Amino acid sequence: MIPRTTVDISDEEKNAINRVIESGQFVKGKECEEFEKEFSSYQGVKYGAGVNSGTSALHLSLLALDLKPGDEVITVPNTFAATINAIIIAGGKPVFIDIDPETFTINVEKIAEKITEKTKVILPVHLYGLMADMKHIKDIAEDNNLLILEDACQAHGAEIDGKKAGQFGDLAAFSFFPTKNITVAGDGGMVISNNEELIQKIKALRDHGRINKKHVMAGLNNRMSEILAAIGREHLKKIDKFTQHRRKIAELYKNKLEDIEQITLPIEPRNYKHVYHLYTIRGNDRDDLKSYLYSNNIGSSIMYAEQLNKLDYVIQVAGIQNTPINEQINKEILSIPISGTLDIDLVEQTIDTILKRYN
Ligand SMILES: Cc1ncc(COP(=O)(O)O)c(C=O)c1O
């Protein structure tokens, strides 16, 4: 079976695990501190707080932004459930904006009409490795006195005008789950920001509300462990190589598949750098295409199959909100094989199999 994604864990990561085991320091040590400095600096931002998942990164960010019960958070339904769950668990109400069908990200033209006196945060999702239109979102936030939390869980290294994810929002949340563009070989995440005060608050929230060993607020245990941070540091050294490989695969798909009328390929708008966390195409007979690929031993996934704004527990908090473009697109999307290390021969095989179906 050609996998939809692969994870590269090599000797460097294994040695990093041993390095931590030999140090005897498993939490609250140098590895997490160094990873915070190295990753935030890679993204071009001053500070980082390592946490135990991307979900925690979003949740603690919303707590740090002082979300109060009933505060509205403008976001999209086209994301992994964690984005919406973090808003609800933090006491907020998700307000859904439909997406742009070409980029799969928030339609910025539709944000203004949803702003009310309860709106506190705009939470755009940089889906599949392509950033949302952050320049526009920043203008809207400034004009309306709103905060921005970037869900950058799929966007390590993605750029607009040479500025990476995390450089636009008040805070940005990243995930290092195994399939992500870099991983800690487990669950892990990080919040990055140029705002030192917010990052200090997140560091307290992740550690039982402690600052300088004193409990000063209600907090959780959402720390990143040293072994995972050490693995993340090794993976970070390879990020540019992984991104280049993902972009090479995307280029192969584009060159070979773009003339097939029945499918639409993802786009990379001018001045954007797409890091292709997923390579998601749209097909007018998506379910048949998925079965066809499966019968030819090629893995693919529907990311994401559930329409989040239509789930009962979400409606209970957010009421009925419709996003017709996203609902249509959810019937068409299919993510086909890509990763930072996927064998190019397997990509060629995938391309040939798809071409055979439509020729
Ligand atoms: C867009 C998005 N947001 C949030 C998350 C949550 O990250 P994690 O799985 O590390 O909790 C993910 C990852 O799955 C994601 O893709």
Side-chain angles (χ1 to χ4, degrees):
M1 192 84 177
I2 298 178
R4 215 257 314 133
T5 188
T6 57
V7 185
D8 170 76
I9 297 298
S10 320
D11 285 345
E12 299 81 34
E13 287 77 25
K14 291 179 194 159
N15 293 338
I17 295 173
N18 282 335
R19 177 170 87 218
V20 176
I21 291 175
E22 279 159 22
S23 80
Q25 177 88 34
F26 298 109
V27 287
K28 299 169 90 166
K30 281 266 161 289
E31 298 287 351
C32 185
E33 274 175 28
E34 292 302 316
F35 188 34
E36 286 164 349
K37 283 186 207 148
E38 290 159 3
F39 184 70
S40 55
S41 142
Y42 178 79
Q43 293 295 136
V45 168
K46 284 191 199 148
Y47 310 105
V51 292
N52 59 354
S53 69
T55 308
S56 297
L58 290 165
H59 179 213
L60 298 191
S61 291
L62 290 167
L63 296 182
L65 294 177
D66 216 13
L67 201 72
K68 294 276 189 299
D71 281 348
E72 294 179 356
V73 179
I74 287 184
T75 190
V76 282
N78 191 28
T79 180
F80 180 57
T83 316
I84 309 309
N85 289 343
I87 296 170
I88 295 175
I89 296 277
K93 172 182 167 187
V95 173
F96 295 103
I97 307 287
D98 213 344
I99 58 162
D100 175 314
E102 289 206 320
T103 61
F104 301 108
T105 56
I106 191 164
N107 181 343
V108 288
E109 304 298 335
K110 301 209 160 156
I111 294 178
E113 66 201 51
K114 292 287 173 77
I115 294 174
T116 71
E117 71 280 4
K118 288 194 171 161
T119 310
K120 179 137 190 186
V121 179
I122 306 180
L123 202 176
V125 180
H126 304 325
L127 202 74
Y128 306 150
L130 182 70
M131 288 175 70
D133 180 355
M134 292 310 299
K135 287 197 286 185
H136 210 128
I137 291 169
K138 228 176 142 103
D139 287 344
I140 297 171
E142 271 166 20
D143 290 348
N144 293 279
N145 203 15
L146 303 175
L147 298 159
I148 301 174
L149 166 59
E150 299 174 51
D151 184 335
C153 286
Q154 303 188 358
H156 319 68
E159 293 176 6
I160 299 175
D161 288 341
K163 287 173 78 179
K164 289 194 171 73
Q167 293 189 38
F168 295 85
D170 295 279
L171 293 170
F174 289 82
S175 165
F176 303 116
F177 181 78
T179 58
K180 294 295 193 279
N181 290 33
I182 59 166
T183 184
V184 294
D187 279 311
M190 197 180 294
V191 185
I192 65 170
S193 176
N194 284 321
N195 184 324
E196 190 175 12
E197 210 178 303
L198 283 175
I199 290 294
Q200 288 309 331
K201 194 166 171 195
I202 287 166
K203 286 184 177 176
L205 286 165
R206 75 174 175 190
D207 185 33
H208 307 285
R210 274 183 288 215
I211 295 179
N212 295 330
K213 301 192 175 161
K214 295 230 163 22
H215 293 93
V216 295
M217 63 183 86
L220 298 157
N221 179 355
N222 285 343
R223 296 180 302 247
M224 174 181 278
S225 78
E226 287 288 281
I227 286 182
L228 298 188
I231 294 171
R233 293 180 69 195
E234 295 306 322
H235 240 218
L236 181 58
K237 292 178 191 161
K238 306 175 191 173
I239 189 169
D240 288 333
K241 194 179 76 177
F242 291 152
T243 301
Q244 238 172 17
H245 191 76
R246 285 176 183 272
R247 289 179 58 80
K248 179 177 169 186
I249 293 173
E251 202 180 318
L252 284 172
Y253 281 142
K254 183 172 185 326
N255 290 341
K256 302 274 178 64
L257 302 178
E258 71 182 342
D259 292 335
I260 301 175
E261 266 174 31
Q262 294 90 333
I263 62 177
T264 307
L265 305 182
I267 61 160
E268 180 179 56
R270 242 177 72 122
N271 301 332
Y272 281 62
K273 182 176 182 186
H274 200 317
V275 294
Y276 296 102
H277 169 59
L278 293 168
Y279 193 88
T280 302
I281 64 174
R282 290 168 56 192
N284 57 5
D285 60 348
R286 187 269 314 276
D287 293 335
D288 289 346
L289 174 59
K290 188 174 191 331
S291 308
Y292 167 80
L293 291 175
Y294 185 76
S295 61
N296 282 281
N297 286 319
I298 297 171
S300 64
S301 322
I302 300 169
M303 313 282 269
Y304 294 92
E306 286 175 303
Q307 187 66 41
L308 298 176
N309 48 326
K310 295 293 161 87
L311 299 178
D312 285 345
Y313 74 92
V314 177
I315 291 175
Q316 266 177 32
V317 178
I320 294 177
Q321 301 181 32
N322 295 317
T323 50
I325 293 175
N326 183 214
E327 282 157 41
Q328 175 57 35
I329 276 177
N330 270 1
K331 298 183 188 127
E332 302 173 3
I333 46 173
L334 191 65
S335 300
I336 60 175
I338 197 162
S339 83
T341 49
L342 184 65
D343 198 328
I344 292 296
D345 285 348
L346 301 182
V347 176
E348 303 276 12
Q349 268 184 53
T350 304
I351 289 170
D352 290 343
T353 309
I354 295 175
L355 285 173
K356 227 180 270 163
R357 178 163 194 260
Y358 293 106
N359 282 339

